[in-house]
Amino acid sequence: MKGGVPVVMGMTTDPFSLLGLEPTAALDAAVVRQVFQERAAAVHPDHGADAADRAERTALFASLNEAQRKLSSTPQRLRVLLQIRYPELAASHAGAAMDGAFMELFGAVGAALEKAKAVQSRRAGVASALARAMLMADETVAADAVMAALGAVNEAMGELERSLPALDETMRSGEACGPQLKAAAARAGFLEKWQVQLRAAHAGAVG
């Protein structure tokens, strides 16, 4: 197919190969998006010459879109990289160790989510304007707790992402770093999940 885009049989090509990107832990989402747009334009189904060509283009277009989605997400990108570099470690069910600071963050996130959940539960039973006014103070406390936790999670994610270029350098040097990569993928997965949960909780706490 034209445009330098690989033809994928059975959808077995990994996301990095699909987008023609080096398998790295650190990867700018804007770069991923630009490469996707260029390659997707070259294989758009509307450009198909016949039904068979359109079907092939549709499948490849969908694969490129999925590759963009995975590589734009830090935890998903790290999991893909782990599968490429250390497939046996990726398949292992052994969990990655988390340090005390990370577990403390886990506790803060849990506490903030519980506050938001309690406020939402109480709001469902509020029937009068007076009761609603009395609940507003608790809503503010819950929203503040959620935002504080979200700020800490965002900071932790930023710190993790800033550490990824060094991890890439270690991999390029040939030094084994499977456990570090698996730990980074696990941490990023938790952080991304907490970001989603806390944003939803904040919307509910002030709703």
Side-chain angles (χ1 to χ4, degrees), residues 139-192:
E139 288 177 334
T140 299
V141 170
D144 287 348
V146 168
M147 289 306 294
L150 180 57
V153 169
N154 289 341
E155 182 177 349
M157 181 66 93
E159 181 179 351
L160 184 148
E161 290 174 342
R162 288 190 293 273
S163 74
L164 297 181
L167 188 58
D168 284 328
E169 286 302 314
T170 300
M171 284 188 284
R172 291 189 184 105
S173 73
E175 183 179 345
C177 58
Q180 296 95 314
L181 180 57
K182 183 166 186 173
R187 291 170 69 96
F190 279 115
L191 292 170
E192 187 176 74

Side-chain angles (χ1 to χ4, degrees), residues 19-116:
L19 295 177
L21 295 168
E22 178 188 1
T24 56
L27 192 56
D28 191 333
V31 171
V32 176
R33 183 169 57 253
Q34 179 181 352
V35 172
F36 163 75
Q37 290 172 344
E38 292 172 354
R39 297 205 162 200
V43 301
H44 198 283
D46 289 348
H47 300 159
D50 52 37
D53 189 31
R54 284 194 295 274
E56 180 186 345
R57 287 172 175 271
T58 298
L60 184 49
F61 187 88
S63 294
L64 288 169
N65 191 53
E66 178 67 4
Q68 177 199 214
R69 185 186 68 79
K70 286 184 176 180
L71 297 189
S72 296
S73 164
T74 298
Q76 291 192 54
R77 182 173 67 253
L78 295 178
R79 285 194 287 268
V80 168
L81 186 58
L82 185 66
Q83 291 168 355
I84 294 171
R85 300 283 191 179
Y86 304 97
E88 292 184 1
L89 190 57
S92 170
H93 295 297
M98 300 296 172
D99 58 30
F102 198 81
M103 294 308 297
E104 184 176 339
L105 180 57
F106 172 75
V109 169
L113 291 175
E114 282 300 315
K115 286 182 179 179

